[in-house]
Amino acid sequence: ASYTARMLDKWTKNNSRQDIQDKLSTLKSSIRFSGSNGRVSANISTTEEYLMETLALMTDMLKNPNFDEAELEKLKTQDLASIEQNKTEPQFLASKQLGLLNQKYKKGHVEEINAATVDAIQEYYDEFYGISDNASLIAIGNIDEQAIKGYFEKEYADFKSDKPYTPISDAYKLNNAANEKIKTPDKK
């Protein structure tokens, strides 16, 4: 889910990564996507002058992604390097150990990263992406509310999710108690 959202701004069927960066630079704007199971968020920063053009670019990214193998490998490399870099950071180690004590999933983070494929990302996108019955739009700034509403009603009319939103059941489970020491000799 995370890789799907993170790859939306990398390449589309209409724009290469460089095209996207050039357009954002010209529009003096930024577009960021984030996601987890059941939710994707888009964050746009722009001026009133370039709002509609930036929304059009965001729409292209969201509706016409082209999940590229090379881009996925870059993200995987970044994530694995971050994990490697954090292996001696006390805060990271404590968080990791806490997660391992109470983990309910069999695979670890590194295994999930290595297992990610463009086909799996495309499959996830095809199955879950689209506007659902609980979509929200939050806009802050000097905007024309009717223009924004009209834009989304028109441009996203055909971008619907057939799956109704249902929260993922996550029953309460008592955490395992532990008193452990993590040694980081190179840190004081």
Side-chain angles (χ1 to χ4, degrees):
S2 172
Y3 278 131
T4 308
R6 289 172 60 198
M7 288 187 69
L8 292 174
D9 66 352
K10 305 293 184 244
W11 205 277
T12 75
K13 293 173 181 156
N14 305 311
N15 291 291
S16 70
R17 182 181 184 137
Q18 189 61 55
D19 293 337
I20 291 169
Q21 294 306 314
D22 291 347
K23 287 179 182 184
L24 287 171
S25 181
T26 299
L27 297 170
K28 299 178 179 85
S29 302
S30 66
I31 301 171
R32 287 182 305 284
F33 293 96
S34 62
S36 61
N37 287 331
R39 191 169 307 277
V40 65
S41 299
N43 182 320
I44 292 177
S45 180
T46 190
T47 61
E48 181 181 13
E49 176 184 6
Y50 297 119
L51 176 60
M52 299 314 283
E53 289 175 82
T54 305
L55 282 175
L57 184 57
M58 180 205 71
T59 299
D60 182 44
M61 292 175 183
L62 194 55
K63 291 173 70 175
N64 302 303
N66 186 5
F67 301 115
D68 182 72
E69 186 71 42
E71 294 296 336
L72 175 59
E73 288 306 314
K74 286 178 191 174
L75 289 175
K76 289 166 66 171
T77 299
Q78 289 170 0
D79 289 350
L80 292 170
S82 177
I83 290 171
E84 188 65 34
Q85 180 181 1
N86 282 316
K87 281 186 175 179
T88 60
E89 293 299 321
Q91 189 69 31
F92 174 82
L93 293 172
S95 177
K96 179 182 174 189
Q97 188 60 30
L98 183 61
L100 291 173
L101 284 171
N102 297 296
Q103 184 168 331
K104 55 187 169 186
Y105 306 106
K106 292 184 179 171
K107 287 186 178 181
H109 199 62
V110 171
E111 291 85 0
E112 288 293 322
I113 291 170
N114 287 326
T117 65
V118 168
D119 290 339
I121 290 168
Q122 184 68 56
E123 186 177 313
Y124 183 86
Y125 175 87
D126 292 342
E127 186 170 352
F128 293 106
Y129 270 62
I131 303 299
S132 67
D133 57 357
N134 80 327
S136 301
L137 171 66
I138 300 169
I140 301 170
N142 189 18
I143 59 164
D144 179 344
E145 184 179 334
Q146 290 307 313
I148 297 290
K149 184 178 178 189
Y151 176 84
F152 278 93
E153 286 175 350
K154 178 181 176 226
E155 294 299 324
Y156 288 85
D158 63 342
F159 191 63
K160 300 286 185 192
S161 173
D162 294 334
K163 292 189 178 270
Y165 173 77
T166 53
I168 297 171
S169 176
D170 194 8
Y172 173 77
K173 179 183 172 237
L174 189 62
N175 285 334
N176 298 320
N179 186 1
E180 298 188 19
K181 291 183 180 179
I182 301 171
K183 297 186 182 209
T184 55
D186 62 329
K187 306 290 180 186
K188 293 197 185 228

